[in-house]
Amino acid sequence: MSTNIQDILADEAESLLSYRCSGIPRERLHVPGPDFVDRIVSQSDRNPRVMRNLQSLFSHGRLGGTGYMSLLPVDQGVEHSAGASFAPNPDFFDPQHIIELAIEGGCNGVASTLGVLGSVARRYAHRIPFIVKLNHNELLSYPNQYDQTLFAQVDQAFDLGAVAVGATVYFGSEESRRQIMEVSEAFARAHELGLVCVLWAYLRNSAFKHEGTDYHTAADLTGQANHLAATIEADIIKQKQALGNGGYTALDFGKTHPKVYDELTSEHPIDLVRYQVANCYMGRVGMINSGGPSGKDDLHQAVRTAVINKRAGGMGLISGRKAFQKPVAEGVKLLNAIQDVYLSDEVTIA
């Protein structure tokens, strides 16, 4: 049974489903599609092994063959603690249940830690594409720090049968230059081995919260984070969906241009996310948005995020806590609802 997208969007349905971008029109984008690897990736310097593994991600799950992705990420046990992450559904302390949720939920792939994926690799690596997250922040150290530490090596991901590696850079942080160097080196090695590279391109700096507004999700700042991610040859960029704009101007730092705010974007959420996509080389690098924490309105928020991502020209959604911090049947329903947005002919690119 397909998801009734209009009913879930409720009062926002017309605004989100009928809007047309004019600042950066659809025609300027390299949009996702069944031929994305042939049409776009084949122009790049990626070797045939990377292209094959990227195609295996595109070909798996309910969205197989569409050019869109629905991924299940379960790496939160490292930073947010296993207790905080899995106490709502203790079965997920066992990696087997993580993989089975991704399979039953129809995902293109599953992203998790070296330990999680390595513990069940012989049973599942041939059944669903694995993405090994290489670095993590962890909050057991006291006092807490906010940095990314390598927990795994690229060759370990290759050896356990992964098709891709993932990593986070905290752009804007004091540690970002070191992280960029570490991840760039890791991605170069991953591409040598034929692995797809996924970058969690997150902002982190306390100064980005200014006069009561959090600019960590500003379109201009996250757009630049995407541009930096594409610079180190990420194949897929994971980004928080833009919720505002004007980070550069409010914080009075960095460099920007009036046209970013006057012509290329508006206050409409699809325009804000379109600017994020534009910074991914106009879609040559696929952008997936994250699903965010679990709450009381998960289905609505997940569908809304997916609609905005797809209409803006994005490549999909990566949703973890909204799916695994609830009974399995509800988690599967939520993942399927996200996928229904990308399968729907009624949800077009704005």
Side-chain angles (χ1 to χ4, degrees), residues 29-43 51 54-55 58 65-69 235-236 280-287 313 315:
L29 298 181
H30 304 284
V31 299
D35 62 342
F36 189 81
V37 173
D38 287 336
R39 174 168 45 91
I40 302 301
V41 184
S42 65
Q43 300 179 33
M51 293 170 62
L54 182 56
Q55 187 63 54
F58 279 129
T66 65
Y68 290 103
M69 287 191 187
D235 301 300
I236 301 167
C280 298
Y281 296 166
M282 282 294 187
R284 287 183 182 274
V285 180
M287 187 192 75
M315 190 169 275

Side-chain angles (χ1 to χ4, degrees), residues 131-259:
I131 303 168
V132 176
K133 187 78 182 341
L134 299 175
N135 64 359
H136 307 276
N137 187 29
E138 57 83 22
L139 299 181
L140 186 60
S141 298
Y142 185 85
N144 287 164
Q145 302 177 42
Y146 296 93
D147 195 3
Q148 290 290 323
T149 301
L150 287 168
F151 277 62
Q153 302 300 315
V154 172
D155 287 61
Q156 291 175 292
F158 177 78
D159 288 342
L160 66 79
V163 305
V165 295
T168 298
V169 171
Y170 285 152
F171 290 106
S173 71
E174 291 184 10
E175 299 81 12
S176 64
R177 297 290 181 90
R178 190 205 79 242
Q179 293 169 11
I180 290 169
M181 292 173 65
E182 289 175 351
V183 173
S184 178
E185 184 177 349
F187 279 9
R189 175 58 178 160
H191 281 149
E192 285 179 6
L193 294 173
L195 300 179
V196 177
C197 296
V198 185
L199 191 72
W200 278 239
Y202 288 169
L203 300 178
R204 186 180 284 276
N205 192 311
S206 59
F208 292 171
K209 294 181 179 180
H210 181 67
E211 295 183 352
T213 300
D214 189 349
Y215 291 99
H216 283 93
T217 52
D220 54 352
L221 300 185
T222 53
Q224 180 60 17
N226 287 354
H227 190 79
L228 297 177
T231 301
I232 59 174
E233 294 207 319
D235 301 300
I236 301 167
I237 295 170
K238 176 189 177 186
Q239 183 58 264
K240 295 178 181 179
Q241 196 160 87
L243 299 178
N245 208 354
Y248 278 122
T249 54
L251 300 171
D252 193 24
F253 90 113
K255 294 183 181 296
T256 186
H257 194 283
K259 284 190 175 182

